[in-house]
Amino acid sequence: MRVCFWGTRGSLAKPGPNTIRYGGNTSCVELRSNSGTLLVIDCGTGAHNLGQSLLAEPEQPIRGHMLISHTHWDHIQGIPFFDPLFEPDNQWDIYAPHNLGQSVRDTLAGQMQYNYFPVTIEALGAKIAYHDLVEGTFEVGDISVKTQYLNHPALTMGYRLECDGVAVVYACDHEQFPREHSNGSSILGAQNMRHVEFLRDADLVIHDAQYTESEYHKKAGWGHSTHEYAVEVCRAANVKQLALTHHDPLRTDDEMDEIVSRINDDLEADGAGLRVFGAAEGAEITLQPRPGSGRRLANRWSSAVQSVVPAVTEQSVLLAAADTATRESIEAAAAAENLQLAAHTDTAAVLESLASDSPTLVIIDGRIGNDNALAICHKVKEQASEAKPQAPIVLIVDDEKTPRQLAELCTDRIVRPFSTEYVRTRIRAWTMRSRSRWIRARHPDNEEQRLAALHALQILDTHPEERFDAIVRQAASALDVPIALVSLVDRDRQWFKSCLGLDVRETPRDMAFCAHAILEDDVMVVPDTFVDPRFADNPLVTGDVRVRFYAGCPLRLPDGHLVGTLCMIDSRPRQFDAAQIKLLKKFARSVEAELARKPGVTQSNQSS
């Protein structure tokens, strides 16, 4: 995998005699897999030179993919000057975080409106497809892309790219979360550790490092990290190389040299294996797999691409606020996102509201007191069930010290002071994560006829039969799965005629993976449910069953109706190859043959 830097400056382009070596153009990185998949990450002013370089290559037209971390100007300013987007024969896919009010295309078109620019987005002549993203994973050519929200005043995506046996993480415009304190010692805490896991074992991390530790106290809340923090999280994540990027506009080349030299001296003194360098325009890195690492990069379902998601704006926020300023700030943020907000200053009113409503997100102002905050947290937790996942709880605090019991119950924290724009971004991130990732299957167009055909079999709620159980055992053994089912999709449930590896005989239909599978003409495979927006928050995924992998082949009756599936389930993510899918279909045809026979009639006596 090859990585090339075309723009490394943060906030504002700053060309000049003091920024020659590290560069003055804003964020833009080119990445290419060994097979030639072209990926552009961010499109700041550095994209102009990249575009000229791409057009000079002999192989035309260009097929490319662009990942936008967020739509602040320094990350999209290059789009109107990126010439490959104007060539009619070129083809581009542009990905960016999903916004509640606007599509990616509309957001990017904003900077090209008549008042700001002489050319509109309609002038881009290439074939362009725009994709809205949430947290999850998708495929770009042979590159697996994992997305995760970063901590920035605008909704911002970090990207983890895996291909050719290596992993690269781009985490630009990310601010370190407040640390948690225990027994007087500073630790990273849960929020920073989630970021560490995103970076885990990467061969290269390109990380925001706009400030030094001494500068940060004046810039807290601006959405950027320190050099020291970038090094710390990369060390905790066992990263091989760290490229410091998003250099402050006032940072000179000589100052960057001093910072990098000091960091590497300290790392060498500690015996750390991390290599740190400052990202510089024109620098190119070729990455090879770590010798003996044994890592295998898993295939993943294309779940981060926002295609079918319930209306997030229909979700609600419940606020327990202790003072007027906090309430007004949260109200403004929720209103900007078109979210319903119920705000209360009295704890009893909050508890009463929880008893009658199920909010998408609960925000608690810590100033109401620890006992009151704990009471609300416990109430939220009590209301959670398999059919109704717990709402995230965000705690607003005045400092970094949070009582352990309260910290364990809360999902996230916001430390004062904060701006309305900042809290708006955090609310958006949590509402995007919440409940939008469990989609109930629609009913087939021929639902009543399908149900009539199913009921005519007179097989529902009958005793287990060896003729079905034998097929299920053979299929589970051949395909190496712990759970295998013959599932029949009834009006309000899925019922298992044969069930290997589960203690239940039925589940509600709205939880059923098979209810989705009967809408397909072919085998439906979900390699990793955790990152599939249809199933990530499904109780069969989050509960005791822990479904991580699913493959279901629809069962078709002779009259053509799809009544259920033969499905294979595993508690670990995996993939079926073409031979395994063919084998699953073969077993499903055997189940169909049994369904077509009358109960009690075996193959031998039928043929006689």
Side-chain angles (χ1 to χ4, degrees), residues 488-499:
L488 301 174
V489 181
D490 201 1
R491 186 179 299 276
D492 297 310
R493 62 174 177 160
Q494 65 173 344
W495 180 79
F496 306 133
K497 176 58 183 174
S498 184
C499 181

Side-chain angles (χ1 to χ4, degrees), residues 446-494:
N446 64 340
E447 175 67 353
E448 292 305 319
Q449 295 92 330
R450 189 193 70 81
L451 287 172
L454 171 62
H455 293 162
L457 295 174
Q458 297 184 347
I459 197 172
L460 294 173
D461 300 307
T462 59
H463 293 294
E465 297 181 61
E466 179 61 19
R467 61 190 180 120
F468 291 104
D469 291 345
I471 298 171
V472 167
R473 288 196 302 270
Q474 293 168 18
S477 176
L479 295 168
D480 189 25
V481 296
I483 300 172
L485 311 165
V486 173
S487 171
L488 301 174
V489 181
D490 201 1
R491 186 179 299 276
D492 297 310
R493 62 174 177 160
Q494 65 173 344

Side-chain angles (χ1 to χ4, degrees), residues 20 67 69 104 156 158 165 238 337 359 454 486 516 539:
I20 291 174
L67 306 180
S69 63
V104 170
T156 302
N238 189 37
E337 296 298 318
L454 171 62
V486 173
H516 290 265

Side-chain angles (χ1 to χ4, degrees), residues 446 450 453 457 487-488 517-522 553-566 588-596:
N446 64 340
R450 189 193 70 81
L457 295 174
S487 171
L488 301 174
I518 63 171
L519 301 174
E520 306 283 341
D521 290 327
D522 205 348
C553 183
L555 299 174
R556 188 182 298 274
L557 297 182
D559 62 9
H561 290 108
L562 298 177
V563 294
T565 71
L566 173 65
R589 300 295 83 84
S590 297
V591 174
E592 289 174 346
E594 295 299 334
L595 288 173

Side-chain angles (χ1 to χ4, degrees), residues 20 33 61 187 196 254 286 289 291 296 307 313 333 385 390 407 411 426 438 450 537 547 576-577 586 603 606:
I20 291 174
S33 70
I187 58 175
V196 167
D254 290 343
T286 300
R296 298 184 63 187
S307 54
T313 54
S385 66
Q390 179 186 312
T411 314
R426 300 295 292 278
W438 176 18
R450 189 193 70 81
D537 294 327
V547 176
F576 273 0
D577 59 25
K586 178 181 177 181
Q603 176 69 44
Q606 187 187 56

Side-chain angles (χ1 to χ4, degrees), residues 176-234:
Q176 54 219 62
F177 291 102
R179 295 171 178 273
E180 296 176 3
H181 292 265
S182 177
N183 300 323
S185 62
S186 177
I187 58 175
L188 282 171
Q191 293 174 307
N192 287 314
M193 285 307 300
R194 185 172 188 268
H195 187 60
V196 167
E197 291 307 313
F198 187 58
L199 311 180
R200 177 70 64 191
D201 295 328
D203 298 274
L204 172 65
V205 169
I206 305 167
H207 202 287
D208 184 303
Q210 183 156 345
Y211 306 129
T212 64
E213 197 70 47
S214 61
E215 295 167 342
Y216 177 69
H217 73 282
K218 294 181 179 179
K219 308 294 178 70
W222 289 25
H224 300 286
S225 295
T226 65
H227 306 97
E228 292 85 351
Y229 170 80
V231 171
E232 183 178 12
V233 291
C234 284

Side-chain angles (χ1 to χ4, degrees), residues 32 38 50-63 83-84 87 89-92:
R32 297 209 195 201
L38 169 63
L50 169 59
Q52 300 305 302
S53 175
L54 293 175
L55 292 177
E57 293 181 358
E59 189 166 338
Q60 302 288 330
I62 298 168
R63 176 71 176 98
D83 285 350
E87 295 297 325
D89 292 333
N90 292 343
Q91 185 176 349
W92 286 86

